[in-house]
């Protein structure tokens, strides 16, 4: 069981499909659709049938459930909880 990432760390969520969808996927943060193209905040990658969402430098406000919705309405989701950077 991995500990929660702390502020500033890079987080990745990946999933692999048994076949490629015939239409684009849609990523969500909670109920809000994320941009369809990569941005500085959210980066998307596809290698064969594996799809990855990367958040390069997480912040506390990134804590949320992230999901991906396929064209046939199949969904997969994961909860992200970001921890504060520990004091030294």
């Amino acid at each position: 069981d991995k500990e929660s990432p702390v502020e500033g760390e890079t987080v990745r969520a990946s999933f692999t499909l048994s076949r490629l969808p015939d239409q684009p996927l849609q990523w969500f943060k909670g109920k809000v659709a994320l941009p369809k193209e990569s941005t500085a905040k959210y980066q998307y990658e596809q290698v064969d049938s594996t799809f990855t969402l990367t958040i390069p430098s997480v912040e506390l406000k990134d804590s949320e459930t992230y999901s991906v919705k396929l064209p046939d309405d199949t969904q997969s989701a994961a909860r992200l909880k970001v921890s504060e950077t520990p004091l030294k």
Side-chain angles (χ1 to χ4, degrees):
D1 194 26
K2 184 182 179 334
E3 290 183 24
S4 298
V6 297
E7 295 172 288
E9 288 186 337
T10 295
V11 174
R12 288 181 184 82
S14 296
F15 72 98
T16 302
L17 300 175
S18 57
R19 63 181 175 80
L20 291 175
D22 56 357
Q23 296 175 18
L25 311 174
Q26 179 64 63
W27 289 93
F28 291 86
K29 176 183 177 188
K31 296 189 183 298
V32 178
L34 295 179
K36 291 196 179 283
E37 301 295 324
S38 288
T39 65
K41 181 70 178 172
Y42 303 109
Q43 299 169 3
Y44 312 111
E45 182 181 15
Q46 177 187 348
V47 177
D48 297 322
S49 60
T50 299
F51 297 81
T52 303
L53 166 65
T54 301
I55 304 174
S57 183
V58 293
E59 303 172 66
L60 290 176
K61 66 183 180 181
D62 293 321
S63 294
E64 181 62 83
T65 297
Y66 289 81
S67 60
V68 64
K69 187 173 180 181
L70 305 175
D72 67 1
D73 286 335
T74 302
Q75 295 187 60
S76 182
R79 176 90 179 134
L80 172 62
K81 180 179 183 294
V82 179
S83 298
E84 289 186 61
T85 304
L87 298 175
K88 297 187 181 197

